Amino acid sequence: MSRSRPSPLPFNVLSSPARRMAMATLLLGCPLAAQAQDDVAQSDTVVVTATALKVATPPMETPRAVSQVGREELDKRAVNSYDETFRYRSGVQSAPYGSDNGVDWFNIRGFSGEDSTYQDGLRLFREGGYFWWVTEPFGLERVDLLKGPASILYGEAPPGGVVNAISKRPTEEAQGLFEIQGGNKDHRQVGIDTSGPVAGTDDMRYRMVGLFREGDGELDHTDNQRVYLAPSLAVDLSDATTVTFLASYMKDHGTPSKGFRPVAGSLEGTEFGHIGRETNLGEPDYERQEREQISLGYELEHDIDETWQFQQNLRYNSMDLLLRSLSPFTALNPDGRTVGRYLTYRDGSYDSFTVDNRLVGKWFTANTENTLLLGVDYQHFDVDYQNGDGTGDFSGFDVFDPEYGNYSPGTLQYQAEEKKEQIGVYIQDQLRLGDRWILLGGVRHDSASVESYSDAPNASDYDETENQLSFSGGVMYLGDYGVSPYLSYSESFSPQVGRGPDGQAYEPSEGEQWEAGVKYTPDWLDGYMTAAVFDLKETNTLYTDAQFIQSQGGERHSQGFELEGVGYLTEQLQLTASYTYLDTTIEDPERGEFRAGLTPRHQASLWLDYGFEGGALQGLDVGAGARYVGESVNAAPDRDDEVSSYTVYDAMASYEINSAWTAQVNVTNLTDKEYIRGCDSWCYYGESRSVIGSLKYRW
């Protein structure tokens, strides 16, 4: 039985400048023939992506920090929740609020990734407080992470970075996958993925991805059930024009599992002990989580001539949501064992429309390559919902001896509507001088309008339009022996909804970053290593003043150092390792400067994977990993709690029964360690042990 050896690389690892130059000339000189955002040419040594620059470029030749996780690694680690994707990459905190069966959470370089999610280069909106688009990992081919501000290409974006999910696409060759999974926490899953040419045609290709999953949440009496379908069709309209239609449908149904905990009873002990990790502080019979998502879109590519290509991405998204969820107050009552609870209630829907139009021109001389990108994109978002937050009587709940059903749900609800509209125009130029220098520069102008209406008592309507200019630039030197240093500058902006205590509308928060790094692809290693230092700052940050009112004028500042590497140490042994040092502070006019909560200064991870070749163990693949997260703090007002560091271990084993069948088992948090993930007024337990067994059939 032969086992193909997959590539571990998200970077170009050509071993000499001449070879790198030849490969880059080939890749950049040929017409872009795949999907616009999945512009990928892959071999054992090269993966080319358009996430960082919106033009197909090896990340190794991009003067920005980029991480990638491909389909093979998602399968190997049995990633079933999107926020597990970057557990073994630098610069990212995965699931900082603990396990949540309704929402995926990322913190990137010390900043919230709440508005960082994109799919196929188009934004996935997360607005209205809880109307968050959820991404299903089974439907993805790859996930890219562009670290740092990215407004030059993506418009409104947080400073930490952009997470871009790449959808599975139709394939030239027929292929298929059927998978079943089972595990603890009543986990059950069935998935199918089939693709290939449409019968009787030579210019049409299809793909159909489907999944059913159900299982319990981290808390007692919580669960979720998901149905997911993602059909796609690629059509060659001519030798110069290809359009790929992409659609998806997902429905979630269950009871939310949100692990908010008062500090006393979780991080701190009480005379009654600690609150159990699995204890549900809500009302399982009342709480609900119903989400239905529909996505329709296409990607078009047309070669105008040998120099110019037109690319267009377009997508319409729709979501319906019903959410009833209870969270405890941050402090126990004076009796030391009961707590009041707060209701979060949303019932409504949203529609969004996004389109990105690009012209890409390429020129070549004997010693230069020039790639010019001209783009115009448009985003529109409209959410309409009923808000019943804080209503009802949910007081006096015993956190150590819970009794459910003693509550009176409220009926007071008000209608709210929020709208966002943004149009951006951008230009970016990549200039390559000989086989050594890469120069990058770009500028973008955005006009972004935000509207907010509500019939709640004392609510004030909001309607503001802001214009923003963003810049970026970078330089990279392709040195000998695979050593490529770089320096870059980038900016971001984020419109803020609402008004301050003075009645004036908030100004957009603005981010800027300087980054210097080295990307290393030695000829003695089938892999890559990267190092980066950065200084990232956001101004006009919102902060909560002494009257618990959102004011503007703060600053969030993050300085850090990242190391990351993936490679084969031998023909059978693969290593994935990362380290992050992060110093993130917040400064507001009232409290002064203080360390940001939830953000550890040190994070490190290590994964080793060994595939046996020959003998009785032929076809066996075993892997093990460790994830270390250093101490962090609770930065809530009048608190200085320290959250201890922790280390958790993961493991996997898979066996190729024959060329078609593979059995696999994955365990996360192998020792079932109980730990606090972090605190920010509330505290959050980390995920308990998960065991998943799977059986796959490929054809």
Side-chain angles (χ1 to χ4, degrees):
M1 174 172 51
S2 64
R3 280 161 36 94
S4 61
R5 180 183 174 197
S7 168
L9 306 181
F11 295 127
N12 184 350
V13 295
L14 302 178
S15 60
S16 71
R19 290 174 62 197
R20 284 198 301 268
M21 177 65 177
M23 183 60 73
T25 301
L26 174 62
L27 292 170
L28 296 177
C30 294
L32 304 179
Q35 290 75 17
Q37 280 305 314
D38 195 35
D39 283 323
V40 172
Q42 182 167 343
S43 68
D44 283 347
T45 57
V46 179
V47 173
V48 180
T49 176
T51 293
L53 303 179
K54 283 194 177 177
V55 176
T57 307
M60 196 59 195
E61 298 178 4
T62 302
R64 293 287 301 273
V66 181
S67 294
Q68 296 179 319
V69 176
R71 183 69 252 168
E72 181 196 357
E73 184 173 348
L74 294 173
D75 288 337
K76 182 170 291 186
R77 293 197 282 109
V79 172
N80 287 327
S81 179
Y82 191 42
D83 52 14
E84 299 173 5
T85 303
F86 294 108
R87 279 178 169 173
Y88 287 89
R89 295 297 187 270
S90 64
V92 184
Q93 285 177 273
S94 298
Y97 303 103
S99 181
D100 187 330
N101 66 355
V103 177
D104 306 308
W105 298 94
F106 300 96
N107 281 354
I108 309 170
R109 288 190 167 177
F111 289 81
S112 171
E114 181 172 328
D115 294 318
S116 296
T117 53
Y118 287 70
Q119 188 152 348
D120 304 319
L122 298 176
R123 186 177 178 188
L124 299 175
F125 285 93
R126 295 186 169 194
E127 305 289 347
Y130 297 88
F131 288 83
W132 285 31
W133 191 271
V134 173
T135 302
E136 171 50 52
F138 188 74
L140 305 180
E141 195 63 45
R142 190 183 76 247
V143 186
D144 297 341
L145 170 62
L146 173 61
K147 302 173 189 176
S151 285
I152 178 61
L153 294 178
Y154 293 97
E156 176 189 350
V162 165
V163 180
N164 186 27
I166 308 300
S167 303
K168 289 180 175 178
R169 313 298 176 91
T171 58
E172 296 281 353
E173 296 183 359
Q175 64 180 42
L177 166 70
F178 177 75
E179 178 185 23
I180 57 173
Q181 290 186 0
N184 67 334
K185 306 175 188 176
D186 282 338
H187 173 79
R188 292 180 291 273
Q189 177 173 309
V190 178
I192 188 167
D193 178 4
T194 181
S195 178
V198 175
T201 70
D202 58 4
D203 58 1
M204 298 177 65
R205 300 163 298 282
Y206 79 96
R207 192 158 189 168
M208 184 65 202
V209 180
L211 173 132
F212 173 81
R213 177 191 300 129
E214 63 180 359
D216 294 340
E218 282 291 305
L219 304 181
D220 294 335
H221 317 298
T222 64
D223 62 351
N224 193 63
Q225 184 181 94
R226 173 172 296 178
V227 174
Y228 174 79
L229 298 171
S232 57
L233 178 70
V235 182
D236 298 326
L237 302 180
S238 69
D239 291 342
T241 306
T242 298
V243 61
T244 302
F245 299 96
L246 299 164
S248 68
Y249 171 83
M250 189 173 79
K251 185 171 185 179
D252 280 352
H253 168 87
T255 305
S257 182
K258 301 183 185 298
F260 290 70
R261 294 286 190 269
V263 175
S266 57
L267 184 65
E268 300 174 352
T270 72
E271 61 179 305
F272 303 104
H274 284 78
I275 303 170
R277 178 173 58 178
E278 296 82 15
T279 301
N280 189 339
L281 302 186
E283 290 291 341
D285 291 336
Y286 174 71
E287 294 177 290
R288 295 310 299 160
Q289 177 175 269
E290 311 281 349
R291 178 188 290 105
E292 189 171 30
Q293 300 178 172
I294 298 175
S295 175
L296 300 170
Y298 67 81
E299 296 179 347
L300 173 70
E301 291 187 347
H302 173 66
D303 294 326
I304 300 171
D305 53 32
E306 293 183 355
T307 300
W308 289 98
Q309 184 185 63
F310 174 71
Q311 305 169 352
Q312 184 183 71
N313 291 22
L314 180 147
R315 185 171 62 224
Y316 166 79
N317 284 354
S318 176
M319 174 192 289
D320 292 327
L321 175 71
L322 170 62
L323 176 66
R324 296 195 301 257
S325 178
L326 288 171
S327 301
F329 292 159
T330 58
L332 297 175
N333 293 328
D335 61 13
R337 63 178 303 132
T338 62
V339 69
R341 295 171 294 171
Y342 183 87
L343 172 65
T344 297
Y345 182 101
R346 294 289 192 280
D347 186 3
S349 63
Y350 84 56
D351 297 283
S352 70
F353 175 81
T354 54
V355 60
D356 185 17
N357 305 281
R358 302 179 299 279
L359 272 176
V360 181
K362 298 177 183 294
W363 297 269
F364 301 89
T365 70
N367 296 309
T368 65
E369 301 174 19
N370 195 80
T371 304
L372 180 65
L373 172 67
L374 305 172
V376 178
D377 59 23
Y378 173 77
Q379 304 176 10
H380 179 81
F381 171 85
D382 189 346
V383 59
D384 194 342
Y385 60 93
Q386 287 184 315
N387 185 325
D389 288 1
T391 60
D393 180 9
F394 296 93
S395 59
F397 183 80
D398 192 332
V399 299
F400 300 104
D401 186 18
E403 294 184 6
Y404 303 109
N406 300 317
Y407 65 93
S408 300
T411 58
L412 177 62
Q413 298 173 5
Y414 60 87
Q415 200 71 22
E417 184 177 13
E418 296 176 17
K419 297 181 179 181
K420 280 191 173 185
E421 189 173 49
Q422 176 183 301
I423 185 167
V425 180
Y426 56 91
I427 180 172
Q428 175 183 269
D429 191 65
Q430 297 170 251
L431 177 62
R432 182 172 181 136
L433 302 176
D435 61 356
R436 292 296 187 182
W437 291 96
I438 296 175
L439 306 178
L440 177 69
V443 61
R444 177 186 176 108
H445 179 271
D446 282 285
S447 178
S449 64
V450 180
E451 301 177 44
S452 180
Y453 308 101
S454 173
D455 60 11
N458 303 320
S460 59
D461 294 341
Y462 179 90
D463 186 353
E464 296 291 334
T465 299
E466 298 287 347
N467 294 300
Q468 192 75 23
L469 199 63
S470 305
F471 297 91
S472 72
V475 57
M476 189 175 204
Y477 180 76
L478 302 178
D480 294 328
Y481 310 110
V483 179
S484 301
Y486 68 90
L487 176 68
S488 66
Y489 172 80
S490 56
E491 296 180 344
S492 67
F493 77 98
S494 300
Q496 302 292 344
V497 178
R499 302 178 185 274
D502 58 0
Q504 298 298 309
Y506 296 131
E507 297 181 6
S509 298
E510 299 179 356
E512 64 173 11
Q513 174 185 269
W514 285 96
E515 176 180 304
V518 177
K519 298 184 178 183
Y520 182 38
T521 54
D523 56 7
W524 50 266
L525 176 70
D526 185 5
Y528 75 90
M529 289 174 276
T530 64
V533 294
F534 60 88
D535 188 289
L536 175 57
K537 183 182 297 184
E538 182 187 58
T539 56
N540 287 332
T541 300
L542 298 183
Y543 68 93
T544 303
D545 62 22
Q547 285 73 45
F548 295 95
I549 297 174
Q550 287 273 286
S551 297
Q552 191 169 44
E555 179 177 291
R556 191 178 183 100
H557 190 193
S558 193
Q559 296 175 305
F561 171 65
E562 297 168 352
L563 284 172
E564 185 174 305
V566 178
Y568 278 93
L569 303 181
T570 69
E571 287 293 321
Q572 288 81 42
L573 181 63
Q574 183 186 6
L575 169 72
T576 302
S578 71
Y579 168 75
T580 304
Y581 170 79
L582 195 59
D583 182 15
T584 305
T585 59
I586 300 172
E587 184 172 352
D588 70 50
E590 295 190 1
R591 294 179 62 186
E593 186 177 69
F594 57 95
R595 184 179 169 189
L598 277 179
T599 307
R601 282 202 172 97
H602 302 277
Q603 281 192 168
S605 65
L606 176 69
W607 179 275
L608 286 170
D609 185 88
Y610 188 85
F612 290 88
E613 297 285 354
L617 297 180
Q618 169 76 20
L620 178 64
D621 191 350
V622 295
R627 294 177 279 129
Y628 168 81
V629 177
E631 59 87 19
S632 60
V633 298
N634 180 2
D638 302 322
R639 305 289 310 199
D640 59 356
D641 311 296
E642 181 176 300
V643 181
S644 298
S645 62
Y646 61 88
T647 302
V648 293
Y649 303 95
D650 308 319
M652 65 80 62
S654 69
Y655 181 68
E656 289 188 3
I657 301 170
N658 54 38
S659 60
W661 291 93
T662 302
Q664 181 171 314
V665 62
N666 290 80
V667 185
T668 58
N669 192 0
L670 186 65
T671 63
D672 200 22
K673 182 179 180 64
E674 187 170 311
Y675 60 96
I676 298 293
R677 182 68 179 86
C679 298
D680 66 342
S681 299
W682 291 275
C683 292
Y684 314 93
Y685 282 106
E687 181 186 10
S688 63
R689 179 167 52 214
S690 171
V691 182
I692 295 176
S694 65
L695 183 64
K696 301 177 184 178
Y697 175 74
R698 298 182 184 273
W699 67 91

